[in-house]
Amino acid sequence: MRETSLEQLNSATRAEFVAALADIFEHSPWVPEAAAAERPFATLAQLYEHLKAALLRAGEDRQLAVVTAHPDLAGKAARAGTLTPQSTAEQASAGLDQLSEPEYAAFHRCNEAYKARFGFPFIICVRRHTKDSILQALERRTKSDAATERAAALTEILRIVALRLDQRVRAPDRLAVHGRLSTHVLDNLSGRPGEGIALELFELSRAGERRLIARAVTNDDGRTDAPLIAGRPIPTGVYELRFAIGDFYARTKEALADPPFLDVVPIRFSVAEPEGHYHVPLLCTPWSYTTYRGS
Amino acid sequence: MRETSLEQLNSATRAEFVAALADIFEHSPWVPEAAAAERPFATLAQLYEHLKAALLRAGEDRQLAVVTAHPDLAGKAARAGTLTPQSTAEQASAGLDQLSEPEYAAFHRCNEAYKARFGFPFIICVRRHTKDSILQALERRTKSDAATERAAALTEILRIVALRLDQRVRAPDRLAVHGRLSTHVLDNLSGRPGEGIALELFELSRAGERRLIARAVTNDDGRTDAPLIAGRPIPTGVYELRFAIGDFYARTKEALADPPFLDVVPIRFSVAEPEGHYHVPLLCTPWSYTTYRGS
Amino acid sequence: MRETSLEQLNSATRAEFVAALADIFEHSPWVPEAAAAERPFATLAQLYEHLKAALLRAGEDRQLAVVTAHPDLAGKAARAGTLTPQSTAEQASAGLDQLSEPEYAAFHRCNEAYKARFGFPFIICVRRHTKDSILQALERRTKSDAATERAAALTEILRIVALRLDQRVRAPDRLAVHGRLSTHVLDNLSGRPGEGIALELFELSRAGERRLIARAVTNDDGRTDAPLIAGRPIPTGVYELRFAIGDFYARTKEALADPPFLDVVPIRFSVAEPEGHYHVPLLCTPWSYTTYRGS
Amino acid sequence: MRETSLEQLNSATRAEFVAALADIFEHSPWVPEAAAAERPFATLAQLYEHLKAALLRAGEDRQLAVVTAHPDLAGKAARAGTLTPQSTAEQASAGLDQLSEPEYAAFHRCNEAYKARFGFPFIICVRRHTKDSILQALERRTKSDAATERAAALTEILRIVALRLDQRVRAPDRLAVHGRLSTHVLDNLSGRPGEGIALELFELSRAGERRLIARAVTNDDGRTDAPLIAGRPIPTGVYELRFAIGDFYARTKEALADPPFLDVVPIRFSVAEPEGHYHVPLLCTPWSYTTYRGS
């Protein structure tokens, strides 16, 4: 699935190397070019560190050029379909390609305010965020000062770069850009894992919308066969897990209240560390449950 | 608030007694009349038992007359405003006075099916139900047999009567027609009651609607000053309690995740016994919680 | 049970008043004498406050005289049986009348060290303590300075006085000298209180001893008919509650593991506030339990 | 560590094969002899199944000879030191080599009663048991009937054989004779694993004795580096895990009650399936905890 390998990058000509990574920094092939001479790289992490160093040792002007090479989030270019393929996919990951008119207007207004204040576009690593958390960051950061925001822009660019690299290059290692969301159901009635329990994961927005992210059924260890989210950052935001324990107990136990005291159990929680491991288990009986951030 | 007292009923003339209770059984003053000679009653429970006995010892024909004296639920009479005041208030308690057109149509269709099968209207003690549980009972009971439904109609009429009596008559005792829904928040971070936590109680419908039933803030014992529901049956249905523990911990503790792992904690549960005591407590920390049916 | 009443104290002659409270301050009838003129007292709290004020406004010499009027804890006078009846009962409450020879020697050594350093005996309100916590306080306070210890001695004397007054005088109010230890068992298997569960409360010592304090069976609300400790301070110390939930589930449920996963559940906790309310509930199933400091 | 390998057994001469397994069945080399011709065995499980089949297809007389070849548990041979090395080690695993005189007398009395009734010695797979559960089984089984006990003796012999084989022979597979006891501490105060928490595992006896089985400190995942018990059956019996969470919170949090409400948390549980996986986690705060049989 990944287009190239670290080995290929190491043995490629300089031109091939630059071409393979030309769009890792938005419209800025000079960054990989500046790192090409450092080859070979033993690990993907090493490649990343050299790209990072190349950006950071360039002067402020060239850094600013990278910053301004980025498109507006949910901006005109996005609407016109003139973004790079990477940017298009990234913006879609947070649903920025499907904004309502009022949302589009809000983004436009905030983007303009940010640019008016700092002279460069607002940059954020979209894959680590939800629509809500992007808009919130945009509002918060618009009140910041120029030095802080220049630093913030570089930090976010490096996060974008790390994710792009991790998706592009096969290597013995992976970059630390992945979060993980998992669950586990323990049935305290039987002292055994809760097997065959249907569950759904929703992303919730402030506006009251609910987006289905994953759907699964617990296996005989009370877990889902695959983590609910893995191999990518978990967007900062609010989630709700819903466990259909009423159906489970209706199958395994005769005499329940009608309707059962607990049927669909919702657990609402927020993610603040997109690269963190969030384990959100449920210990339950027909009359009680416990949840917690596990490990 | 209650219009009359047991004492007054005991010392009233027969005609006054009948007049005071004329509408306790829908359009059927003969029932109190049949019980008038049994006075005096030491308790409200005794008065109720004699009314019940008068209904049950009357023949099937007279019982059926009481049954057919009841209006359709959410029917034409309700729309036309020609219900008795009691029926009007009762139907409003479950929101039957505010149905959408499709809901009205569904009720109409089900009512007609029930009447076509049994020859008398569907009777249910509305104050013990939500819109959903009424429609569900209507569908279920339409599949029943005639003898069972005649008995069910009398049972429901007696529940309606008990509630009307309990609201009408001051007496040393009360009838066992009241449920109770309460909560309690324990902060396991401090080992103390969770004080000043805002909470909301919603009634949920299958169609995804949410009706606010109560709003409160916990006091210094972690409880609400008054029960969330008391002095009436708790309508059979699905509820969601929401506790704003994120705000609570933001006030009492400095370093939380941003956004906090737990912010608004929803607890969804069903009520199957309208006269039961449902105590639904929350034991919480910023990272975990436990709930259960308490006592 | 209480020997006198506030009313009687208010209407007594000065001599009777002093006689009735002569031993409230150890061998120091001058303190009630100094408060006699302030009568009448509307509440027991008022009486206590005036006695306290009388002690605190007396000069250091007279205060020191009260301090030195106290016997050694677990000292020679205790062994010889020459303590006041109050002191005898108080020292027995913590088991100081049943020390082993090594314990007696330890107390003697510590008492002597304390007296050698400060010139007056170590005073502590024994009813608020266990043998362990007394010896611990003795060791800790021996390292303190003279001013702190003079103040500590007065504080402890006033705690002793408050407890003696509360036990001696009938009055409309009681002093805030009582703690309370209670429990509650919720069976999460049935969603109901755990009824008929045998439980025991032990006081544990550092030396590994275990003293049975209370034994009870839960009632139909899952509580004990009376609190496990009430009407007196809860001695600072370590306790263990043991709940025989294995027997309970063996009676109420057929198929348990043999032996059951949970049989006797021990909950070990410490009391740091003798006047506090310690509610220590158990939420259980045959395979899990939760406990917490409740309210 | 294991003396021989499946490969060696497969390629050995018949005599070598029998010699290597001569003592797998107590004093009964004829059983491996009867299975030798079935070689080669692809797995240890296959070897075991053929040994089992050889025993089960032999007539009752030969089976009984194997049964009677077993020594008394905690009997004279054990005292005289004339047991086989296997039996010696097995009996020591449950502490049968260190009985008090009254315990020895109790075993002797029960053994004699069993032999008097059935004509053969009581056999049990000692490694799956504690002293208490052996004596209990002995008393229970003495009340059984002859057919049941002959079957029980064979079942237990096959369990002994499986364990001996599993310890003796290196092979690609292992027999299903191992239980596993593990734990995990989650600190609900921080939402993180409880690291650096000292814990102890004791085996408890009915007589009130306590035998230390394991001692560990939780690692940065809140687990012990190795399971508390693994690679062997967990003897049927009562255990107590003790977690020093008071010390943990004293290190990580400033303001605790003094003494802390929770210091050493004991969790007492029983093992009924020696080959089961018992995961006994602790979710805790300074004021609360939850435990359950996990997975």
Side-chain angles (χ1 to χ4, degrees):
Chain A
M1 186 160 176
R2 293 186 169 83
E3 296 162 28
T4 185
S5 73
L6 190 59
E7 212 170 89
Q8 287 170 315
L9 291 178
N10 278 332
S11 59
T13 65
R14 181 183 186 97
E16 286 166 346
F17 175 81
V18 173
L21 303 180
D23 54 356
I24 287 288
F25 286 79
E26 195 82 0
H27 299 301
S28 307
W30 66 262
V31 192
E33 190 154 12
E38 317 281 352
R39 292 180 298 165
F41 304 115
T43 60
L44 190 58
Q46 247 181 45
L47 166 55
Y48 168 75
E49 287 303 328
H50 280 94
L51 291 171
K52 176 178 170 184
L55 177 70
L56 297 184
R57 74 173 172 258
E60 273 199 20
D61 288 355
R62 303 198 74 184
Q63 290 171 355
L64 198 58
V66 179
V67 172
T68 52
H70 282 76
D72 279 1
L73 282 180
K76 282 184 195 154
R79 288 218 154 176
T82 61
L83 295 182
T84 62
Q86 275 81 2
S87 282
T88 303
E90 287 158 4
Q91 299 208 12
S93 76
L96 299 188
D97 57 340
Q98 298 187 330
L99 298 180
S100 65
E101 277 308 316
E103 287 174 329
Y104 178 78
F107 264 96
H108 182 71
R109 194 174 54 245
C110 290
N111 274 327
E112 293 305 312
Y114 187 94
K115 280 190 291 189
R117 181 168 165 98
F118 299 114
F120 51 81
F122 172 73
I123 299 183
I124 196 164
C125 178
V126 172
R127 287 197 190 274
R128 301 176 75 249
H129 285 275
T130 52
K131 211 164 54 181
D132 278 349
S133 73
I134 292 170
L135 205 51
Q136 226 177 326
L138 182 40
E139 284 167 2
R140 183 171 38 76
R141 285 173 48 188
T142 300
K143 295 174 198 142
S144 186
D145 61 88
T148 304
E149 278 310 297
R150 271 197 305 273
L154 293 185
T155 297
E156 295 294 328
I157 285 170
L158 288 167
R159 285 173 166 161
I160 295 167
V161 161
L163 274 164
R164 288 179 178 179
L165 264 190
D166 191 76
Q167 288 195 321
R168 177 78 53 87
V169 184
R170 287 188 303 281
D173 61 325
R174 303 248 57 85
L175 300 183
V177 293
H178 305 145
R180 184 185 165 90
L181 174 60
S182 59
T183 189
H184 187 197
V185 186
L186 244 299
D187 170 25
N188 281 339
L189 203 60
S190 63
R192 282 197 290 264
E195 181 181 358
I197 296 178
L199 58 90
E200 293 176 319
L201 174 69
F202 293 96
E203 185 188 303
L204 306 185
S205 83
R206 265 144 213 268
E209 295 159 348
R210 211 164 79 195
R211 191 152 71 111
L212 183 67
I213 302 295
R215 184 175 268 151
V217 173
T218 55
N219 59 24
D220 62 1
D221 191 33
R223 303 176 195 270
T224 57
D225 288 338
L228 295 167
I229 294 181
R232 61 175 177 98
I234 316 174
T236 298
V238 184
Y239 296 85
E240 193 166 286
L241 261 169
R242 298 190 180 176
F243 300 85
I245 72 167
D247 290 349
F248 169 72
Y249 285 120
R251 283 197 308 275
T252 59
K253 201 176 168 279
E254 322 78 75
L256 285 173
D258 178 25
F261 182 63
L262 298 176
D263 185 5
V264 172
V265 167
I267 296 184
R268 196 176 292 182
F269 60 94
S270 291
V271 165
E273 312 159 50
E275 290 80 23
H277 179 188
Y278 285 77
H279 184 57
V280 184
L282 181 70
L283 315 175
C284 61
T285 79
W287 300 97
S288 66
Y289 61 90
T290 292
T291 189
Y292 54 96
R293 181 166 180 189
S295 82
Chain B
M1 185 161 176
R2 291 186 170 84
E3 295 162 28
T4 185
S5 72
L6 190 60
E7 212 170 88
Q8 287 170 315
L9 291 178
N10 278 330
S11 59
T13 64
R14 181 182 184 97
E16 286 167 348
F17 175 79
V18 173
L21 303 180
D23 54 355
I24 286 287
F25 287 78
E26 195 83 0
H27 299 302
S28 307
W30 65 263
V31 192
E33 190 154 13
E38 318 281 353
R39 290 180 298 163
F41 304 115
T43 60
L44 191 57
Q46 247 182 42
L47 166 54
Y48 168 76
E49 288 302 328
H50 280 93
L51 291 171
K52 177 177 168 183
L55 177 69
L56 297 183
R57 76 173 171 260
E60 273 200 17
D61 287 358
R62 302 199 76 183
Q63 289 170 357
L64 197 59
V66 179
V67 172
T68 53
H70 283 76
D72 279 1
L73 283 180
K76 282 185 193 152
R79 287 219 154 174
T82 61
L83 295 182
T84 62
Q86 275 82 0
S87 282
T88 303
E90 286 159 5
Q91 298 208 12
S93 76
L96 299 189
D97 57 339
Q98 297 186 333
L99 299 179
S100 65
E101 277 307 318
E103 287 174 328
Y104 178 78
F107 265 96
H108 182 71
R109 194 174 53 246
C110 291
N111 274 326
E112 294 303 313
Y114 186 94
K115 279 189 290 188
R117 181 168 167 97
F118 299 113
F120 50 81
F122 172 74
I123 299 184
I124 196 165
C125 179
V126 172
R127 287 198 191 274
R128 302 175 75 248
H129 285 275
T130 52
K131 210 163 55 182
D132 278 349
S133 72
I134 292 171
L135 206 51
Q136 225 176 328
L138 181 41
E139 285 167 2
R140 183 171 37 77
R141 284 173 49 189
T142 300
K143 296 175 198 142
S144 188
D145 61 89
T148 304
E149 277 310 296
R150 271 196 305 273
L154 294 186
T155 297
E156 294 295 326
I157 285 171
L158 288 167
R159 285 172 167 161
I160 294 168
V161 162
L163 274 164
R164 288 180 178 179
L165 266 190
D166 191 75
Q167 289 195 322
R168 177 77 54 86
V169 185
R170 287 189 302 282
D173 61 325
R174 302 250 55 86
L175 299 182
V177 292
H178 305 145
R180 185 185 164 90
L181 173 60
S182 58
T183 189
H184 187 196
V185 186
L186 244 299
D187 170 25
N188 281 339
L189 203 60
S190 65
R192 281 198 291 265
E195 181 181 359
I197 297 177
L199 57 90
E200 293 176 319
L201 174 68
F202 293 96
E203 186 188 302
L204 306 185
S205 83
R206 265 146 213 269
E209 295 159 349
R210 211 164 78 196
R211 191 153 71 112
L212 183 67
I213 302 294
R215 184 175 267 151
V217 173
T218 55
N219 58 26
D220 63 0
D221 191 33
R223 302 175 196 270
T224 56
D225 288 337
L228 295 167
I229 293 181
R232 61 176 177 98
I234 317 174
T236 298
V238 184
Y239 295 85
E240 193 165 286
L241 261 168
R242 298 192 179 173
F243 301 84
I245 72 167
D247 290 349
F248 169 71
Y249 284 120
R251 284 197 308 274
T252 58
K253 202 175 168 278
E254 322 77 78
L256 286 173
D258 179 23
F261 182 61
L262 298 175
D263 186 5
V264 171
V265 167
I267 297 184
R268 196 176 292 183
F269 61 93
S270 291
V271 165
E273 313 160 49
E275 290 79 22
H277 180 187
Y278 285 78
H279 183 58
V280 184
L282 181 71
L283 315 176
C284 62
T285 78
W287 300 96
S288 66
Y289 61 90
T290 291
T291 190
Y292 54 96
R293 181 166 181 191
S295 82
Chain C
M1 185 161 175
R2 290 185 171 85
E3 297 162 27
T4 185
S5 72
L6 191 59
E7 212 169 88
Q8 287 169 316
L9 292 178
N10 279 331
S11 60
T13 64
R14 181 184 186 96
E16 287 167 346
F17 175 79
V18 174
L21 302 180
D23 54 356
I24 286 287
F25 286 79
E26 195 83 359
H27 299 302
S28 307
W30 65 264
V31 192
E33 190 154 12
E38 318 281 354
R39 293 180 296 164
F41 304 115
T43 60
L44 191 57
Q46 246 181 45
L47 166 55
Y48 168 75
E49 287 303 327
H50 279 93
L51 291 172
K52 177 178 170 183
L55 177 69
L56 296 184
R57 74 174 173 258
E60 272 199 19
D61 287 357
R62 301 198 77 184
Q63 289 171 355
L64 198 58
V66 179
V67 172
T68 52
H70 282 78
D72 280 2
L73 282 180
K76 281 183 193 154
R79 289 218 153 176
T82 62
L83 296 181
T84 62
Q86 275 81 0
S87 282
T88 302
E90 286 158 6
Q91 299 208 12
S93 76
L96 299 188
D97 57 340
Q98 298 187 332
L99 298 179
S100 66
E101 276 308 315
E103 287 175 327
Y104 178 79
F107 265 97
H108 182 72
R109 196 175 53 247
C110 291
N111 273 326
E112 293 304 312
Y114 186 94
K115 281 190 289 188
R117 182 168 165 99
F118 299 113
F120 50 81
F122 172 73
I123 299 184
I124 196 164
C125 179
V126 172
R127 286 196 191 276
R128 301 176 74 248
H129 286 275
T130 51
K131 211 163 56 181
D132 277 349
S133 72
I134 292 171
L135 205 51
Q136 228 177 324
L138 180 41
E139 284 167 3
R140 183 171 38 77
R141 284 172 50 188
T142 299
K143 295 174 198 143
S144 186
D145 62 88
T148 304
E149 278 309 298
R150 270 197 306 272
L154 293 186
T155 297
E156 294 295 327
I157 285 170
L158 288 167
R159 285 173 166 162
I160 295 167
V161 161
L163 274 164
R164 289 178 178 180
L165 264 191
D166 191 76
Q167 289 195 320
R168 176 78 54 86
V169 184
R170 288 188 302 280
D173 61 324
R174 302 249 55 85
L175 299 182
V177 292
H178 305 146
R180 186 183 164 91
L181 173 60
S182 58
T183 188
H184 187 196
V185 186
L186 245 299
D187 170 25
N188 280 339
L189 203 60
S190 64
R192 282 198 290 265
E195 181 180 359
I197 297 177
L199 57 90
E200 293 176 319
L201 173 69
F202 293 96
E203 184 187 304
L204 306 185
S205 84
R206 266 145 212 267
E209 295 159 348
R210 210 164 79 195
R211 193 154 69 114
L212 182 67
I213 303 294
R215 182 175 269 151
V217 173
T218 55
N219 59 25
D220 63 1
D221 192 34
R223 303 176 195 272
T224 56
D225 289 337
L228 295 167
I229 293 181
R232 61 175 178 97
I234 316 175
T236 299
V238 184
Y239 295 85
E240 193 166 285
L241 261 169
R242 299 191 179 174
F243 301 84
I245 72 167
D247 290 348
F248 169 71
Y249 284 120
R251 283 197 310 274
T252 59
K253 202 177 168 278
E254 325 75 76
L256 285 173
D258 178 24
F261 182 62
L262 298 176
D263 185 6
V264 171
V265 167
I267 297 184
R268 196 176 291 182
F269 61 93
S270 291
V271 165
E273 313 159 49
E275 289 81 22
H277 180 188
Y278 286 78
H279 185 58
V280 184
L282 181 71
L283 315 176
C284 61
T285 78
W287 300 97
S288 65
Y289 61 89
T290 292
T291 189
Y292 54 95
R293 181 167 181 189
S295 82
Chain D
M1 186 161 175
R2 291 186 171 83
E3 294 161 30
T4 186
S5 72
L6 191 60
E7 212 168 272
Q8 288 170 315
L9 291 177
N10 279 331
S11 59
T13 65
R14 181 183 186 96
E16 286 167 347
F17 175 79
V18 174
L21 303 179
D23 53 356
I24 287 288
F25 287 78
E26 195 83 359
H27 299 302
S28 307
W30 65 263
V31 192
E33 190 153 11
E38 318 280 353
R39 292 179 298 166
F41 304 115
T43 60
L44 191 56
Q46 247 180 42
L47 166 54
Y48 169 75
E49 289 302 330
H50 280 93
L51 291 172
K52 177 178 169 184
L55 177 70
L56 297 184
R57 75 174 171 259
E60 273 199 20
D61 288 355
R62 302 198 76 182
Q63 289 171 355
L64 196 60
V66 179
V67 172
T68 52
H70 283 76
D72 279 2
L73 283 181
K76 279 182 195 155
R79 289 219 154 175
T82 61
L83 296 180
T84 61
Q86 275 81 0
S87 283
T88 303
E90 287 158 5
Q91 299 208 11
S93 76
L96 299 188
D97 57 340
Q98 298 187 333
L99 298 180
S100 65
E101 277 307 315
E103 287 174 327
Y104 177 78
F107 265 95
H108 182 71
R109 196 175 51 246
C110 291
N111 273 326
E112 293 304 312
Y114 186 94
K115 280 190 290 188
R117 182 169 166 97
F118 299 113
F120 51 80
F122 172 74
I123 299 185
I124 196 165
C125 178
V126 172
R127 286 197 191 275
R128 302 176 75 247
H129 285 274
T130 52
K131 211 164 54 182
D132 278 348
S133 72
I134 292 170
L135 207 50
Q136 227 176 326
L138 181 40
E139 285 167 1
R140 181 170 39 76
R141 285 173 48 190
T142 300
K143 295 175 198 141
S144 187
D145 62 89
T148 304
E149 278 309 297
R150 270 197 306 271
L154 293 186
T155 297
E156 294 294 326
I157 285 171
L158 288 167
R159 285 173 167 160
I160 295 168
V161 162
L163 274 163
R164 287 179 179 179
L165 266 189
D166 191 76
Q167 289 194 322
R168 176 79 53 86
V169 184
R170 289 188 302 279
D173 60 325
R174 303 250 53 86
L175 300 182
V177 292
H178 304 145
R180 185 183 165 91
L181 174 59
S182 58
T183 189
H184 187 197
V185 186
L186 245 298
D187 170 25
N188 280 339
L189 202 60
S190 64
R192 282 197 290 264
E195 182 180 358
I197 296 177
L199 58 89
E200 294 176 319
L201 174 69
F202 292 96
E203 184 188 305
L204 306 186
S205 83
R206 265 145 212 267
E209 295 159 350
R210 211 164 78 196
R211 192 153 70 112
L212 183 67
I213 303 294
R215 183 176 268 150
V217 174
T218 56
N219 59 26
D220 63 1
D221 191 34
R223 302 176 196 270
T224 56
D225 289 337
L228 295 168
I229 293 181
R232 61 174 177 98
I234 316 174
T236 299
V238 184
Y239 295 85
E240 192 165 286
L241 262 169
R242 298 192 179 173
F243 300 85
I245 72 167
D247 290 349
F248 169 71
Y249 284 120
R251 284 197 308 274
T252 59
K253 201 175 168 277
E254 322 76 75
L256 285 173
D258 179 24
F261 181 62
L262 298 175
D263 186 6
V264 171
V265 167
I267 297 185
R268 196 176 292 182
F269 60 94
S270 290
V271 166
E273 314 159 47
E275 290 79 23
H277 180 188
Y278 286 78
H279 184 58
V280 184
L282 181 71
L283 315 176
C284 61
T285 78
W287 301 97
S288 66
Y289 60 90
T290 292
T291 189
Y292 54 96
R293 181 166 180 190
S295 82

